[in-house]
């Protein structure tokens, strides 16, 4: 029962198109980058004095995840619309038929946000007990959804494999701009703060470029072919 909200979030937000390419090297590189980022964040917090309590740091990290999900709610549909509309016929109709996965992920996240923001807090006292039980499910589901929707870029791989590496750098650089106006969680020297501010967007951009190159070299998948401006890949 404890695993149920996490399993449901994974089922909702993980790409599921049967014929999509799943490259193990790309998957391992993404996991490694995430692990290195987590270890670097732990080192930063343990090596320098906190500017606020540990609870405040955790709240800031949760806020970053929620901001990322919020940015993706705006950027994801815009990127999908631009991609579908930029494709040459019969691309638009072909890709529109694949939008069910991203639409499911976006709809699930929006519904969760509405329930968490307006449903649970405004329950009557009569239904308060029911609301507390529902919160035990929706809170972990909401947090897992916020993380997974960012990790899987709203299941845009269900539309085409080039979309996640195209969208991820836009997301992290948008988050970088937001973080410019936020105070660092630790009292670290300026060079260290700049390193930890720039490392995430630079590493995600480098990984995305490598992923696009690997898709091109190993599978013949390119952005140009995906948009119908070259011979469409058999996997396209």
């Amino acid at each position: 029962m404890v695993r149920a909200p996490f399993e449901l979030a994974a089922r909702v937000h993980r790409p599921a198109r049967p014929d999509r390419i799943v490259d193990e090297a790309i998957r391992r590189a993404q996991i490694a980058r995430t692990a290195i980022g987590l270890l670097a964040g732990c080192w930063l917090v343990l090596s320098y004095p906190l500017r606020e309590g540990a609870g405040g740091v955790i709240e800031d990290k949760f806020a970053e995840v929620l901001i990322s999900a919020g940015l993706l709610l705006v950027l994801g549909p815009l990127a999908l619309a631009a991609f579908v509309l930029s494709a040459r016929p019969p691309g638009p109709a072909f890709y529109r038929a694949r939008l069910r996965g991203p639409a499911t992920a976006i709809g699930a996240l929006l519904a969760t946000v509405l329930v968490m923001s307006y449903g649970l807090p405004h329950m009557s006292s009569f239904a308060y007990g029911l609301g507390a039980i529902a919160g035990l499910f929706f809170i972990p589901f909401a947090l897992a959804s916020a993380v997974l929707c960012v990790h899987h870029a709203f299941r845009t791989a269900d539309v085409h494999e080039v979309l996640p590496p195209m969208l991820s750098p836009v997301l992290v650089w948008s988050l970088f701009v937001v973080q410019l106006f936020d105070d660092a969680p630790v009292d670290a020297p300026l060079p260290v703060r700049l390193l930890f501010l720039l490392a995430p967007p630079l590493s995600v951009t480098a990984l995305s470029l490598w992923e696009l190159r690997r898709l091109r070299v190993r599978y013949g998948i390119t952005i140009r072919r995906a948009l119908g401006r070259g011979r469409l890949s058999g996997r396209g």
Side-chain angles (χ1 to χ4, degrees):
M1 185 64 182
V2 175
R3 296 168 53 185
F6 302 101
E7 291 175 348
L8 179 60
R11 191 177 301 116
V12 168
H13 293 284
R14 185 184 295 128
R17 178 164 58 89
D19 62 338
R20 69 186 177 89
I21 289 176
V22 180
D23 188 285
E24 282 300 310
I26 292 174
R27 188 183 67 85
R28 288 195 297 267
Q30 292 171 338
I31 293 174
R33 196 209 72 84
T34 301
I36 292 171
L38 290 173
L39 291 173
C42 291
W43 174 84
L44 182 68
V45 170
L46 295 174
S47 299
Y48 296 98
L50 297 178
R51 289 187 171 179
E52 51 187 334
V57 174
I58 294 174
E59 288 179 3
D60 287 345
K61 291 303 176 184
F62 278 142
E64 284 185 14
V65 172
L66 294 176
I67 290 171
S68 299
L71 287 171
L72 202 55
L73 275 172
V74 177
L75 297 174
L78 289 176
L80 283 170
F83 180 82
V84 172
L85 293 175
S86 298
R88 290 180 177 173
F94 180 69
Y95 292 135
R96 280 197 298 270
R98 292 180 170 183
L99 289 176
R100 180 178 178 180
T104 299
I106 292 172
L109 187 63
L110 276 173
T112 304
V113 170
L114 291 174
V115 170
M116 295 294 295
S117 301
Y118 301 103
L120 295 180
H122 294 90
M123 277 192 170
S124 66
S125 57
F126 176 78
Y128 181 78
L130 179 60
I133 295 173
L136 292 176
F137 179 88
F138 276 106
I139 291 173
F141 176 78
L143 293 175
S145 292
V147 173
L148 291 173
C149 77
V150 173
H151 179 73
H152 293 299
F154 271 146
R155 291 180 61 171
T156 49
D158 277 352
V159 178
H160 200 284
E161 287 83 355
V162 300
L163 278 169
M166 289 173 60
L167 185 56
S168 295
V170 177
L171 173 64
V172 293
W173 282 108
S174 300
L175 186 59
F176 166 80
V177 173
V178 173
Q179 290 174 329
L180 285 176
F181 300 95
D182 193 14
D183 292 331
V186 298
D187 191 13
L190 180 60
V192 174
R193 297 203 304 270
L194 289 176
L195 173 64
F196 276 81
L197 188 64
L198 287 168
L202 289 175
S203 62
V204 169
T205 301
L207 182 60
S208 295
L209 291 174
W210 172 79
E211 183 176 343
L212 287 170
R213 182 181 183 278
R214 187 171 177 86
L215 289 173
R216 174 176 59 82
V217 172
R218 291 184 64 89
Y219 307 104
I221 292 177
T222 66
I223 297 173
R224 181 179 174 83
R225 288 179 178 177
L227 296 176
R229 281 150 174 80
R231 185 175 60 84
L232 199 62
S233 165
R235 294 273 190 169

